[in-house]
Amino acid sequence: MTSPAVHVIGHPLVQHKLTLMRRKDRSTSGFRRLLHEISMLMAYEVTRDMPTQLVEIETPLEKMRSPVIDGKKTVFVVIMRAGSGFLDGMLEVVPGARVGHVGLYRDPKTLGAVEYYFKMPQDMSERDAIVLDPMLATGNSAVAAVDRLKETKPKSIRFVSLVAAPEGIANMQRHHPDVPIYTAAIDRELNDHGYIVPGLGDAGDRLFGTK
Ligand code: URA
């Protein structure tokens, strides 16, 4: 089977902002603002091939047929809690999108994903799902979230992370070879605690100031 695409978003603005976020002295508010800005920029890449349809409109000069996207057909699926930091920027770009939530925590011993919350909009079979989680580390949460999401039979699924580990990408590709991955960086490896190195630390803690 061929591997699904891994899209590394190398745009200089994204790379620059990611560097600022990685710095350990970045404040909570700075980290949050940068994640918001990056998610808007990444939304452009992730939605690049979104279908459009022609609608008839009237300019001040004449009638024309012009393309629009049906944002309501998109559902952003937030993997809590760090995924929520990705959401607002994406919604700014696709304001009509629906939002689903998956709550998973990482068992500190096994690093396996345990589900505690799952809520999706109705009619998922008509929607394109974009799963949001800033850190694709072991990939266990991503795999578990996509497993559950597939039960709702969305039209398509893509996965967006800010920083990915090679281990997480391999795990996703093994379990979900049909799901393309978008990321701003593929870092070196995971450490013994399941953190991405060099990474940026715990994205949830840095986003919410909980450490
Ligand atoms: N989750 C994080 O927030 N950071 C990592 O490095 C790995 C998982």
Side-chain angles (χ1 to χ4, degrees):
M1 190 182 297
T2 56
S3 286
V6 178
H7 304 270
V8 178
I9 301 174
H11 193 289
L13 281 172
V14 171
Q15 294 301 315
H16 176 84
K17 290 176 192 298
L18 175 57
T19 300
L20 299 181
M21 290 181 76
R22 286 184 190 270
R23 294 181 67 135
K24 68 177 183 186
D25 53 358
R26 183 67 45 208
S27 68
T28 300
S29 61
F31 188 91
R32 193 179 294 146
R33 180 180 44 78
L34 286 161
L35 184 56
H36 181 86
E37 291 170 2
I38 282 196
S39 57
M40 284 171 62
L41 296 169
M42 290 182 74
Y44 284 93
E45 293 298 329
V46 175
T47 58
R48 184 177 283 282
D49 59 354
M50 215 178 220
T52 56
Q53 64 192 57
L54 294 176
V55 295
E56 182 136 328
I57 59 162
E58 214 170 331
T59 76
L61 300 180
E62 63 178 32
K63 286 187 177 165
M64 69 175 289
R65 284 166 63 74
S66 194
V68 289
I69 58 166
D70 186 354
K72 292 201 259 332
K73 292 274 157 59
T74 300
V75 53
F76 292 122
V77 177
V78 173
I79 301 185
M80 297 184 324
R81 67 184 165 140
S84 61
F86 244 166
L87 178 64
D88 289 351
M90 298 264 171
L91 280 177
E92 238 167 83
V93 181
V94 191
R98 302 305 192 235
V99 180
H101 286 87
V102 186
L104 298 163
Y105 68 86
R106 192 155 60 146
D107 185 299
K109 290 211 180 77
T110 65
L111 302 184
V114 184
E115 182 184 310
Y116 63 89
Y117 190 78
F118 186 82
K119 182 93 180 171
M120 292 298 135
Q122 289 182 329
D123 306 323
M124 285 294 285
S125 58
E126 293 169 17
R127 301 184 195 280
D128 296 300
I130 300 177
V131 183
L132 308 177
D133 190 354
M135 307 303 277
L136 179 57
T138 61
N140 291 338
S141 300
V143 167
V146 173
D147 278 345
R148 273 296 266 128
L149 185 59
K150 280 185 173 174
E151 291 174 19
T152 69
K153 300 196 174 2
K155 222 162 67 184
S156 70
I157 303 177
R158 50 195 79 184
F159 187 90
V160 189
S161 73
L162 182 61
V163 180
E167 295 91 332
I169 291 175
N171 196 4
M172 270 294 279
Q173 291 191 325
R174 199 161 48 246
H175 289 90
H176 296 296
D178 52 324
V179 175
I181 296 168
Y182 294 78
T183 188
I186 302 175
D187 275 11
R188 192 176 67 247
E189 61 189 355
L190 292 181
N191 70 12
D192 292 343
H193 304 286
Y195 279 93
I196 300 174
V197 280
L200 48 72
D202 187 304
D205 280 342
R206 296 201 61 189
L207 187 56
F208 299 113
T210 43
K211 201 156 191 180

